[in-house]
Amino acid sequence: MRPTAGSSASNAGAARRVQTLRHLVAGQWRTGDGDDVVDLNPARPRETVAVGQLAQDHDLDQAVAAARDAFRRWAATPPHARGRILDRAAGIIDVHAEQWGEELAWEEGKTCAEGIGEVRRAAEIFRYYAGEGSRSVGEVFASPRPGEQIHVIHRPVGVVAVVTPFNFPIAIPAWKIAPALSYGNTVVWKPASPVPLLAVRLTEALVEAGLPDGVLSLLIGSGSLGGRLVEHPGVDAVTFTGSTSVGRGLIAACGRLARPIQTEMGGKNAAIVLADADLDLTVQEVLAGAFRSTGQKCTATSRLIIQEPIADEFLDQLTKRAAALRVGDPLEENTEMGPVVSLQARDEIQQAVDAAAARSGVDVLTGGRHYDDDRMHGAFVQPTVVELAGDDPLWREELFGPVLAVRRAQDTREALALANDSDFGLSAALFTDDLRAVTAAMDQVDVGVLHINSETAGADPHVPFGGAKQSAYGPKEQGRAAREFFTRTTTVYLRSSGGPTL
């Protein structure tokens, strides 16, 4: 692989102006007065992206109080008027897509092209939810009694705590914040600590679009502040995307408080390749699923199941293409894979691969080594493919990086059983033209998202997204499914006071 981390993009990155981080509390921008926060570039960790101060408990209290004060006015705002603000925000996001996409790559590590694409996806999500004012706000049912109708109407739940991860620093917040606002809720948002700059950018777009004071507050804070937000007495509901361990803790906390919570957590997603699969297409899709966004996606392909007759040929093609990926500075135009989010993440992934390589029955087919060029100073991990003779921690544990674990299957039944052999159930992909195998997968594979002849990653804003088993808890996200979490229903029995009509 050709190193790119020390090339011309380094000079361009070094010339970038360090940004100042700000919080938005009760409609006012403030710099904060907590401990320093330093946002670093994972490709060159000595390079600072942005600086600021962490929010503190008094910021949290003021943000929640402002959200509670603004809630009634925002809920009473006609849905079409709310939608116009979201639509204006979408336009602002689109206008800044290239600038913010480059900042996303600088801050988080995915390639510049992926960063720009993610910003545009955020705009698409806001546009979708801007249109909710033109869709049904409830249902009418027939009554068994004459002269009566039964209406089921949807109302906003109140103040929503939004806690988001680092890996999609503008798209995932968009698919939580946009429906929350569209349905009339107010929001207090705590983004992941490694990606505060894109959180500021999204908040700037909503403020510029005319969002009223207090409807959204942004708090750049520690993980402990996020925990206090989730348990704050002024919060009515919580939506979270992140690790399974943190998610379980938040679920337990909300259970004690009888507070609704929606979580998207871990994934260990399988791609199943049957003997009749189109090899060129399948190699391309598995490669994208495993290594695009440096494997830092909850829907990334981290397990591969190949039917025995084609396994050798498939793995030969896959490993050659994985080894040829251009890994380096995400701001370089020809880079195909950037760093993981931090040096700590790099080291944890590398330690897991090293430990696996020392076990019997584990064969590292490509990657798995430390870089010995300029990339050794950044958070770079080689695209890694590891074949397993049987069960192994690499088959079970989410590494959240560019590591693909492979097992072979004799037939479709064994392949589907291996796909289900996980505590997680977010996404899976099946590559075949056999209709019987497709039907079997639809019936048997226990996941929230199933792809046929396409990679495990990918989510459209107009359809439900979410997992099964330990991958999720609570209602699904996106599409009309989001309404099930961000609204509550009131059933109205409607009869004229004069009694039944003739």
Side-chain angles (χ1 to χ4, degrees):
M1 282 179 277
R2 181 179 63 83
T4 64
S7 56
S8 61
S10 297
N11 297 327
R16 288 175 176 271
R17 184 168 60 87
V18 176
Q19 301 295 306
T20 300
L21 300 172
R22 302 181 294 167
H23 313 275
L24 182 71
V25 179
Q28 300 297 316
W29 289 105
R30 58 179 67 170
T31 56
D33 53 5
D35 292 341
D36 290 344
V37 55
V38 181
D39 183 12
L40 300 176
N41 174 5
R44 293 180 297 279
R46 294 183 178 179
E47 180 179 299
T48 300
V49 175
V51 295
Q53 281 74 46
L54 294 175
Q56 298 197 80
D57 284 349
H58 64 84
D59 299 302
L60 171 59
D61 290 337
Q62 291 171 25
V64 174
R68 296 210 69 81
D69 182 63
F71 169 63
R72 293 298 175 193
R73 293 188 298 276
W74 182 243
T77 301
H80 290 81
R82 297 196 297 256
R84 285 193 292 272
I85 293 174
L86 300 191
D87 189 61
R88 286 197 294 270
I92 293 164
I93 294 167
D94 257 340
V95 166
H96 292 90
E98 292 195 7
Q99 175 198 340
W100 294 356
E102 289 180 5
E103 289 180 338
L104 195 160
W106 188 30
E107 175 179 59
E108 189 266 345
K110 59 169 53 82
T111 67
C112 192
E114 289 177 310
I116 294 170
E118 181 181 335
V119 175
R120 294 198 188 283
R121 171 55 62 92
E124 180 184 0
I125 293 165
F126 271 92
R127 283 201 180 90
Y128 174 83
Y129 285 105
E132 280 298 278
S134 300
R135 303 183 183 111
S136 168
V137 296
E139 299 171 286
V140 179
F141 291 85
S143 171
R145 291 163 294 278
E148 182 180 74
Q149 295 178 337
I150 303 174
H151 294 240
V152 177
I153 59 176
H154 289 261
R155 293 175 171 171
V157 297
V159 177
V160 178
V162 173
V163 182
T164 55
F166 75 83
N167 58 325
F168 285 89
I170 193 167
I172 289 178
W175 79 42
K176 294 178 182 294
I177 293 170
L181 298 179
S182 178
Y183 294 123
N185 301 283
T186 54
V187 169
V188 180
W189 174 27
K190 209 292 286 186
S193 300
V195 287
L197 180 56
L198 264 292
V200 173
R201 296 301 188 226
L202 179 55
T203 305
E204 288 173 343
L206 285 160
V207 171
E208 185 179 343
L211 195 69
D213 292 353
V215 173
L216 170 69
S217 286
L218 168 68
L219 301 173
I220 298 167
S222 62
S224 60
L225 184 79
R228 291 193 292 277
L229 167 62
V230 166
E231 297 192 50
H232 197 286
V235 166
D236 297 298
V238 177
T239 178
F240 165 83
T241 296
S243 71
T244 301
S245 59
V246 174
R248 285 175 175 171
L250 298 183
I251 291 167
C254 287
R256 291 192 303 270
L257 297 167
R259 180 168 296 168
I261 183 169
Q262 171 195 67
T263 68
E264 288 299 332
M265 299 180 286
K268 194 69 176 174
N269 311 294
I272 308 157
V273 182
L274 300 185
D276 69 324
D278 180 322
L279 287 190
D280 289 340
L281 167 70
T282 306
V283 168
Q284 174 183 322
E285 293 294 314
V286 170
L287 196 77
F291 303 121
R292 190 175 289 161
S293 299
T294 322
Q296 296 180 124
K297 294 184 287 193
C298 55
T299 54
T301 305
S302 53
R303 297 186 297 147
L304 174 62
I305 301 155
I306 316 175
Q307 199 168 349
E308 184 65 56
I310 62 167
D312 289 339
E313 181 182 0
F314 186 89
L315 289 174
D316 179 65
Q317 291 188 33
L318 179 70
T319 53
K320 286 178 179 176
R321 291 187 61 178
L325 287 172
R326 293 187 293 270
V327 179
D329 191 317
L331 296 175
E332 278 281 0
E333 185 176 354
N334 61 357
T335 295
E336 295 174 295
M337 194 180 93
V340 293
V341 72
S342 67
L343 295 179
Q344 179 182 350
R346 177 201 68 181
D347 293 344
E348 290 173 353
I349 294 166
Q350 189 64 55
Q351 288 165 11
V353 173
D354 291 344
R359 295 191 288 266
S360 62
V362 176
D363 185 9
V364 180
L365 303 181
T366 190
R369 300 181 303 278
H370 297 271
Y371 283 108
D372 58 5
D373 52 33
D374 286 350
R375 289 170 289 188
M376 72 171 65
H377 305 297
F380 293 98
V381 176
Q382 290 189 346
T384 299
V385 180
V386 181
E387 185 167 4
L388 309 175
D391 199 9
D392 188 88
L394 282 188
W395 192 251
R396 304 264 168 212
E397 298 169 4
E398 185 182 34
L399 295 186
F400 222 64
V403 179
L404 180 63
V406 182
R407 291 177 70 177
R408 302 187 185 209
Q410 294 300 317
D411 54 28
T412 301
R413 178 177 296 179
E414 182 183 6
L416 298 184
L418 284 172
N420 278 331
D421 186 24
S422 174
D423 291 336
F424 300 108
L426 179 52
S427 181
L430 174 67
F431 295 89
T432 183
D433 284 329
D434 184 345
L435 182 59
R436 290 173 298 179
V438 172
T439 302
M442 293 171 64
D443 288 342
Q444 298 173 28
V445 178
D446 191 6
V447 292
V449 181
L450 177 63
H451 294 260
I452 307 299
N453 294 319
S454 61
E455 61 167 298
T456 56
D460 288 307
H462 62 291
V463 292
F465 174 83
K469 298 191 280 189
Q470 296 299 313
S471 288
Y473 181 88
K476 294 288 194 293
E477 298 189 277
Q478 302 205 81
R480 296 310 304 274
R483 187 174 69 169
E484 300 308 309
F485 179 73
F486 290 109
T487 67
R488 59 178 176 83
T489 60
T490 298
T491 303
V492 180
Y493 293 85
L494 180 61
R495 184 186 301 178
S496 169
S497 61
T501 58
L502 297 177

